[in-house]
């Protein structure tokens, strides 16, 4: 019986493990990225550019034309999306792709914040955040597989490297550490 | 072994065939559904929201911000208004900078003396536990006092913060 359990544990652990290599990488990469969200923007790299412009940017009937002129100077008018005035002397211009420009309409000083998607991280984080119901089912299957990996690992190896030997010590440590975090 | 591989492939195929994307749902709400709610001008939101508590309204504004942490909060703005919108599901961050007509249920957060007392005790607790430093503690204390001063100035027993609970949206061209 134990021999059969060991055999099937190895088979399931190996084959389902292969199947979920992609998911493991996605959750691993995005897990690290999102853990450090307070230290960096995990989805975009941000480039900040300061500028000064003498184009009149106060509210007027010409404002759209003037904004496009400004974009000719600091970016590209084709990137214009929308604009509004968060404060009386502050204009915010939204650009395609999530970038934006804020200008002090009083003195013409502005800051452009250009966002660029971080390859791999953006996509991994997107999936980590559970974008669709289909992904919910798939990630639930992955979570069940993780439980299966943990349980099957108990039976995979026999002898001194198994759960009754070195494996058991590692398993115990892996349980004690989270408990310590709960107690501290 | 082959059976396992076939079973896994079959499950994966079934899952992959389900294509109902939550974000896509949010991006493709027909305009006629939005017009069912009472439309108000976004600039009048703070004035009129009190008349629509727990009711659905529609308004048009620019998406200034989508919360980068959970993606379930959005700031809808105009030159004269800022409205917080919350949702059960994630907002697509591609909406940032877009003008949308959003339909949502008006929610009220009441700030009264009980609320201030709770804030005060939380502030003391967080400060004593080291979660707030002296600056945070003083800032919070000042904030609570501002609420009390505002209530006194307006001669009311509570202040109301209004927000919207997302129902649907439609991007304006």
């Amino acid at each position: 019986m134990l021999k059969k359990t060991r055999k099937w544990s190895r088979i399931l652990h190996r084959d389902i493990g292969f199947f979920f290599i992609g998911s493991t990488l996605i959750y691993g990469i995005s897990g690290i990225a999102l853990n450090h969200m307070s230290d960096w923007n995990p989805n975009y790299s941000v480039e900040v550019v300061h500028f000064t412009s003498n184009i009149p940017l106060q509210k007027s009937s010409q404002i759209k034309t003037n904004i496009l002129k400004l974009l000719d100077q600091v970016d590209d008018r084709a990137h214009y999306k929308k604009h509004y005035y968060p404060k009386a002397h502050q204009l915010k211009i939204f650009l395609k792709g999530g970038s934006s420009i804020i200008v002090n309409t009083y003195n013409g000083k502005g800051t452009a914040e250009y966002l660029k998607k971080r390859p791999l991280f953006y996509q991994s984080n997107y999936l980590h955040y559970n974008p669709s119901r289909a992904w919910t089912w798939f990630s639930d299957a992955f979570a069940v597989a993780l439980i299966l990996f943990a349980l099957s690992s108990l039976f995979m190896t026999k002898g001194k490297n198994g759960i009754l030997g070195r494996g058991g010590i590692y398993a115990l440590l892996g349980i004690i550490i989270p408990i310590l975090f709960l107690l501290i | 072994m082959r059976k396992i591989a076939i079973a896994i492939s079959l499950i994966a195929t079934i899952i992959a065939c389900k294509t109902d994307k939550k974000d896509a749902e949010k991006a493709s709400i027909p305009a006629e559904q939005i017009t069912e709610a009472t439309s108000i001008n976004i600039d009048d939101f703070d004035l009129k929201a009190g008349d629509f508590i727990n009711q659905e309204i529609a308004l048009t504004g620019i998406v200034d911000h989508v919360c980068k942490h959970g993606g379930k909060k959005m700031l809808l703005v105009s030159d004269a208004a800022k409205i917080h919108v919350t949702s059960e599901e994630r907002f697509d961050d591609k909406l940032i900078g877009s003008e949308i007509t959003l339909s949502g249920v008006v929610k009220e957060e009441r700030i009264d003396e009980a609320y201030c007392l709770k804030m005060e005790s939380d502030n003391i607790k967080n400060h004593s536990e080291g979660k707030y430093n002296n600056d945070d503690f003083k800032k919070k204390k000042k904030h609570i006092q501002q609420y009390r001063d505002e209530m006194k100035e307006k001669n009311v027993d509570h202040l109301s913060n209004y927000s919207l609970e997302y129902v649907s949206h439609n991007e304006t061209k």
Side-chain angles (χ1 to χ4, degrees):
Chain A
M1 175 68 184
L2 195 63
K3 203 176 169 188
K4 208 171 180 184
T5 308
R6 182 168 295 121
K7 183 190 160 193
W8 276 101
S9 293
R10 293 171 83 98
I11 291 171
L12 291 172
H13 198 105
R14 182 193 61 209
D15 289 0
I16 299 176
F18 280 135
F19 180 74
F20 280 115
I21 282 176
S23 304
T24 308
L25 289 173
I26 286 166
Y27 280 98
I29 291 166
S30 57
I32 294 168
L34 299 174
N35 248 356
H36 298 276
M37 204 177 246
S38 53
D39 305 317
W40 75 323
N41 185 329
N43 288 319
Y44 298 96
S45 57
V46 185
E47 187 194 351
V48 177
V49 177
H50 299 283
F51 63 87
T52 305
S53 170
N54 53 12
I55 297 171
L57 292 166
Q58 291 86 0
K59 264 188 206 176
S60 73
S61 56
Q62 290 295 305
I63 185 60
K64 179 79 184 285
T65 313
N66 292 347
I67 286 173
L68 294 179
K69 280 183 192 166
L70 174 76
L71 292 184
D72 287 339
Q73 286 180 1
V74 300
D75 191 70
D76 182 343
R77 64 167 58 208
H79 293 163
Y80 172 80
K81 204 169 175 185
K82 281 280 173 198
H83 73 273
Y84 85 105
Y85 290 85
K87 292 175 189 166
H89 293 295
Q90 197 180 65
L91 168 69
K92 185 166 184 179
I93 306 163
F94 294 99
L95 306 176
K96 286 171 187 163
S99 303
S100 61
I101 293 172
I102 290 179
V103 191
N104 182 326
T105 59
Y106 189 71
N107 59 21
K109 284 186 178 173
T111 305
E113 207 177 75
Y114 297 111
L115 302 184
K116 204 175 159 193
K117 278 180 191 171
R118 293 185 196 276
L120 197 64
F121 283 108
Y122 180 88
Q123 290 80 5
S124 302
N125 296 337
Y126 176 78
L127 290 172
H128 196 128
Y129 274 132
N130 215 0
S132 68
R133 284 193 206 291
W135 183 260
T136 305
W137 285 102
F138 184 69
S139 53
D140 278 352
F142 177 53
V144 171
L146 289 178
I147 295 169
L148 186 83
F149 293 154
L151 296 178
S152 58
S153 68
L154 300 175
F155 307 101
M156 278 169 62
T157 313
K158 62 178 177 180
K160 61 174 183 169
N161 292 332
I163 194 69
L164 297 175
R166 200 175 59 180
I169 295 167
Y170 289 149
L172 206 61
L173 278 173
I175 292 168
I176 288 170
I177 290 170
I179 291 171
L180 280 178
F181 275 94
L182 289 174
L183 297 176
I184 291 169
Chain B
M1 189 120 67
R2 191 179 293 168
K3 280 179 191 168
I4 294 167
I6 291 167
I8 290 172
S9 309
L10 209 65
I11 292 165
T13 311
I14 292 165
I15 289 169
C17 287
K18 288 175 166 254
T19 54
D20 53 334
K21 290 182 93 184
K22 289 178 194 171
D23 284 345
E25 275 172 12
K26 286 185 180 182
S28 60
I29 300 297
E32 56 269 23
Q33 279 182 23
I34 287 175
T35 51
E36 282 170 13
T38 309
S39 287
I40 69 165
N41 188 319
I42 186 170
D43 295 343
D44 298 333
F45 180 75
D46 278 339
L47 284 174
K48 293 187 176 174
D51 300 332
F52 293 97
I53 294 167
N54 293 325
Q55 291 177 49
E56 195 175 323
I57 60 159
L59 37 77
T60 301
I62 297 169
V63 179
D64 181 84
H65 186 78
V66 170
C67 173
K68 75 169 180 174
H69 289 89
K72 294 179 179 178
K73 289 178 189 166
M74 171 201 280
L75 188 64
L76 198 66
V77 298
S78 71
D79 291 350
K82 277 192 179 102
I83 302 168
H84 291 273
V85 185
T86 57
S87 169
E88 292 286 306
E89 293 166 6
R90 278 180 65 76
F91 291 113
D92 188 345
D93 60 7
K94 287 190 187 84
L95 283 176
I96 295 171
S98 300
E99 188 176 68
I100 61 169
T101 297
L102 183 136
S103 182
V105 176
V106 177
K107 292 288 164 192
E108 181 194 30
E109 184 189 34
R110 281 197 169 204
I111 294 153
D112 53 14
E113 186 50 32
Y115 185 98
C116 290
L117 286 170
K118 172 85 173 57
M119 270 181 91
E120 226 161 36
S121 66
D122 286 348
N123 195 30
I124 291 165
K125 188 172 170 245
N126 286 327
H127 186 234
S128 63
E129 285 174 359
K131 287 180 189 165
Y132 287 173
N133 60 30
N134 283 342
D135 280 351
D136 296 334
F137 177 72
K138 282 176 190 166
K139 230 181 259 176
K140 207 85 182 171
K141 207 173 161 184
K142 199 178 159 189
H143 196 190
I144 298 164
Q145 193 52 47
Q146 278 170 348
Y147 282 144
R148 285 185 169 133
D149 291 346
E150 199 180 332
M151 280 192 274
K152 201 174 170 185
E153 196 185 303
K154 291 179 175 170
N155 198 22
V156 290
D157 64 355
H158 73 272
L159 302 168
S160 295
N161 274 344
Y162 298 106
S163 62
L164 284 176
E165 210 171 75
Y166 175 88
V167 175
S168 61
H169 82 270
N170 191 33
E171 225 172 309
T172 58
K173 298 292 167 196

